[in-house]
């Protein structure tokens, strides 16, 4: 086995073209401190987190202690009062060393952005602080067996009664289910395919709320998903998020933010694999010279580096447009998600190839990164759906 000297080498950080994007001082500080946390505390555990295939509570608490769930949440609700770009920077840094741990940030953002964008003042004050400070994990329940890409086919119902709402249905593949304290659940409150959908908060321990077995996945094994089962789950009226019928619009607005974060996750996974393979190729000798001396390999490295930089720029652009409350952000969020996660798949697959048997080995991290990359092309809306969104917006103009 070739041993890789990771010290005394220029890292890709020092070559980052996107440093010229003029990040603010607080954004640079966030990136620097999360990069250190990732290197010192998260990276050494990444292999164990993958192999344990359980919810990584230790890492969840660590991210909470460092305020990373609350970066985009106002101080008045227990957050740090920064912006989406700060959260994107944090997700990239964590994903570069442990993609499963970065899912914790993306999933918490699905829940906190739902409350920020659709919740009442009372809901924000009550539910955001524990989520922002990492006291409890959240879960976001949209997908059903017959409502995957087609969210408008949601079958879970919420029936209004005098005292509250009664929820019935089943949600599948829900990240953090069984571990979370706060659940966002998309339900049907009337017939209309999209304007009949409504969101609710359901708290852990509510009678009638239960969970299926832990799902088994190819990658992201440190991220736990289960079925969420709702059998006559009663919640008070004030657990409805916004008004009846606003659920679909709210989750689309949430997805603009979280798809951007999944894009950041793609950039991070790609960068992690690229940095590793870059060092490896300089150390591994064949035919009497370093692999990195071969032009064919140099061409591949250049292609991969270009795609990573382009992906990061798309993620930063989408983040900045959303932070600036620009119009038409859907297309930019979808471009960031789609390009960056396709890049993660491409870079990790090439990284395995460039390392030969050593890349395919479980002793090195790139095979894990390749397995982790795959699902980023699937969740938060598949990349085919992102392409549909981009094309629809282009054709509307
Ligand atoms: C690890 C993991 C974690 C997840 N976490 C959550 C979570 O926390 N909360 C949650 O609600 N969901 C979650 N999901 C579900 C995820 O969001 C869905 O799997 C995803 O939206 C796709 O739905 P589907 O799997 O039913 O695929 P389908 O919708 O059945 O799609 C199958 C294939 O057909 C393609 N396709 C579908 N429609 C079209 C179309 N119109 N044009 C072209 N191609 C199309 C898709 O792109 C895909 O390739 C998670 C999934 C995974 C794997």
């Amino acid at each position: 086995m070739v041993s890789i000297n990771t010290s005394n080498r220029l890292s890709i950080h020092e070559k980052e073209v996107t440093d010229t994007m003029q990040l603010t001082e607080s954004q640079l500080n966030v990136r620097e401190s999360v990069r250190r946390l990732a290197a010192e505390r998260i990276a050494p555990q990444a292999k164990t987190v993958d192999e344990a295939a359980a919810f990584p509570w230790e890492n969840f608490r660590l991210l909470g202690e460092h305020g990373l769930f609350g970066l985009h949440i106002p101080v008045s609700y227990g957050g740090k009062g920064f912006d989406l770009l700060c959260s994107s920077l944090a997700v990239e840094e964590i994903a570069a060393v442990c993609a499963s741990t970065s899912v914790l940030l993306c999933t918490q953002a699905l829940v906190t952005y739902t409350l920020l964008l659709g919740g009442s003042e009372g809901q924000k004050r009550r539910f955001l602080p524990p989520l922002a400070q990492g006291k409890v994990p959240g879960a976001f329940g949209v997908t059903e067996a017959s409502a995957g890409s087609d969210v408008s086919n949601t079958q879970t119902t919420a029936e209004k009664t005098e005292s509250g709402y009664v929820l019935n249905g089943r949600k599948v593949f829900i990240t953090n289910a069984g571990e979370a304290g706060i659940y966002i659940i998309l339900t049907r409150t009337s017939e209309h395919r999209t304007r009949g959908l409504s969101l609710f908060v359901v708290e852990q321990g509510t009678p009638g709320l239960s969970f299926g077995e832990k799902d088994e996945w190819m990658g992201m094994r440190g991220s736990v998903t289960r079925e969420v089962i709702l059998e006559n789950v009663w919640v008070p009226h004030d657990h409805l998020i916004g008004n009846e019928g606003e659920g679909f619009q709210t989750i689309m607005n949430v997805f603009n933010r979280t798809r951007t974060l999944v894009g950041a996750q793609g950039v991070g996974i790609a960068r992690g694999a690229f940095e590793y393979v870059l060092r490896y190729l300089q150390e591994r000798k064949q035919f009497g010279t370093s692999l990195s001396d071969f032009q064919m390999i140099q061409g591949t490295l250049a292609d991969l580096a270009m795609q990573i930089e382009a992906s990061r720029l798309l993620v930063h652009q989408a983040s900045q447009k959303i932070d600036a409350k620009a119009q038409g952000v859907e297309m930019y969020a979808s471009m960031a998600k789609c390009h960056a996660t396709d890049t993660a798949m491409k870079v990790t697959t090439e990284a395995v190839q460039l390392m030969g048997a050593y890349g395919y080995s479980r002793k090195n991290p790139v095979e894990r990164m390749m397995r982790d990359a795959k699902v980023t092309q699937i969740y938060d809306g598949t990349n085919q759906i992102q392409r549909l969104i981009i094309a629809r917006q282009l054709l509307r103009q």
Side-chain angles (χ1 to χ4, degrees):
M1 182 68 65
V2 175
S3 84
I4 299 172
N5 175 13
T6 54
S7 62
N8 299 327
R9 285 206 179 276
L10 256 192
S11 98
I12 193 173
H13 302 318
E14 284 141 276
K15 306 186 193 103
E16 263 172 20
V17 176
T18 44
D19 271 351
T20 58
M21 290 235 354
Q22 293 179 337
L23 297 176
T24 63
E25 206 177 321
S26 55
Q27 288 160 349
L28 286 168
N29 286 342
V30 165
R31 190 175 68 177
E32 205 40 52
S33 61
V34 181
R35 187 170 288 173
R36 210 171 318 115
L37 181 77
E40 290 170 7
R41 305 285 300 276
I42 311 278
Q45 303 304 324
K47 188 171 163 49
T48 312
V49 164
D50 176 59
E51 287 170 355
F55 186 85
W57 276 105
E58 205 176 309
N59 284 353
F60 180 80
R61 290 192 193 98
L62 192 64
L63 301 184
E65 279 161 24
H66 286 78
L68 301 194
F69 296 119
L71 290 174
H72 56 266
I73 297 174
V75 176
S76 52
Y77 303 129
K80 294 285 179 194
F82 298 138
D83 48 20
L84 176 62
L85 183 50
C86 273
S87 286
S88 299
L89 295 168
V91 169
E92 179 188 329
E93 294 307 321
I94 301 293
V97 300
C98 180
S100 287
T101 299
S102 72
V103 177
L104 298 173
L105 292 174
C106 296
T107 307
Q108 205 82 338
L110 280 163
V111 178
T112 55
Y113 270 124
T114 304
L115 292 163
L116 280 170
L117 297 173
S120 66
E121 187 56 25
Q123 288 167 344
K124 289 178 195 171
R125 291 205 175 281
R126 178 167 169 196
F127 297 117
L128 280 173
L131 291 162
Q133 291 159 7
K135 302 263 163 52
V136 287
F140 182 79
V142 169
T143 305
E144 298 180 6
S146 56
S149 300
D150 183 10
V151 171
S152 70
N153 197 37
T154 295
Q155 304 293 317
T156 296
T157 54
E159 200 186 322
K160 193 171 184 179
T161 67
E162 237 171 67
S163 63
Y165 287 87
V166 179
L167 277 54
N168 277 290
R170 296 170 97 92
K171 299 285 176 183
V172 295
F173 312 144
I174 305 307
T175 304
N176 294 354
E179 317 286 339
I182 294 168
Y183 293 79
I184 302 287
I185 301 290
L186 185 70
T187 67
R188 178 162 295 291
T189 43
S190 73
E191 290 290 300
H192 192 279
R193 281 184 74 82
T194 52
R195 290 196 302 277
L197 300 181
S198 306
L199 287 162
F200 289 88
V201 182
V202 179
E203 292 170 85
Q204 182 189 34
T206 306
L209 176 69
S210 63
F211 309 99
E213 292 295 305
K214 188 166 77 65
D215 297 313
E216 280 295 329
W217 300 114
M218 170 201 297
M220 287 300 190
R221 294 181 61 78
S223 172
V224 168
T225 72
R226 293 186 176 88
E227 192 173 8
V228 174
I229 303 158
L230 301 124
E231 289 169 319
N232 292 320
V233 170
W234 177 87
V235 292
H237 287 131
D238 67 5
H239 278 38
L240 169 68
I241 298 175
N243 296 309
E244 274 190 28
E246 290 178 356
F248 187 81
Q249 194 49 52
T250 300
I251 62 166
M252 292 304 136
N253 289 336
V254 170
F255 280 145
N256 291 338
R257 280 123 183 115
T258 55
R259 284 172 181 162
T260 302
L261 292 178
V262 174
Q265 191 174 46
V267 175
I269 296 170
R271 194 189 92 199
F274 186 80
E275 286 179 353
Y276 195 87
V277 80
L278 192 67
R279 288 190 291 266
Y280 178 88
L281 293 170
Q282 291 168 86
E283 307 233 336
R284 168 79 168 165
K285 290 198 167 38
Q286 289 292 281
F287 302 100
T289 189
S290 298
L291 287 177
S292 59
D293 289 337
F294 295 114
Q295 282 192 347
M296 197 186 289
I297 284 180
Q298 290 175 1
T300 303
L301 286 175
D303 284 342
L304 301 184
M306 282 190 279
Q307 287 171 39
I308 295 170
E309 288 296 334
S311 296
R312 186 182 291 113
L313 288 166
L314 281 172
V315 167
H316 288 199
Q317 174 179 251
S319 305
Q320 284 170 332
K321 281 185 183 289
I322 291 167
D323 287 331
K325 300 188 171 35
Q327 294 294 308
V329 291
E330 299 84 352
M331 182 173 79
Y332 294 99
S334 291
M335 283 179 171
K337 195 268 182 188
C338 189
H339 193 278
T341 58
D342 282 354
T343 295
M345 199 65 239
K346 166 94 178 141
V347 172
T348 53
T349 308
E350 288 287 357
V352 169
Q353 185 68 21
L354 287 169
M355 289 179 64
Y358 301 99
Y360 192 61
S361 165
R362 291 225 157 167
K363 286 190 177 160
N364 288 314
V366 294
E367 65 80 30
R368 163 172 55 82
M369 293 168 172
M370 181 179 156
R371 287 185 284 110
D372 289 348
K374 186 62 222 174
V375 75
T376 65
Q377 295 177 298
I378 295 172
Y379 59 27
D380 253 58
T382 67
N383 282 5
Q384 288 98 319
I385 296 300
Q386 306 314 312
R387 289 179 167 88
L388 286 181
I389 294 168
I390 295 163
R392 257 185 227 143
Q393 199 155 329
L394 291 172
L395 293 166
R396 215 183 287 145
Q397 284 164 0

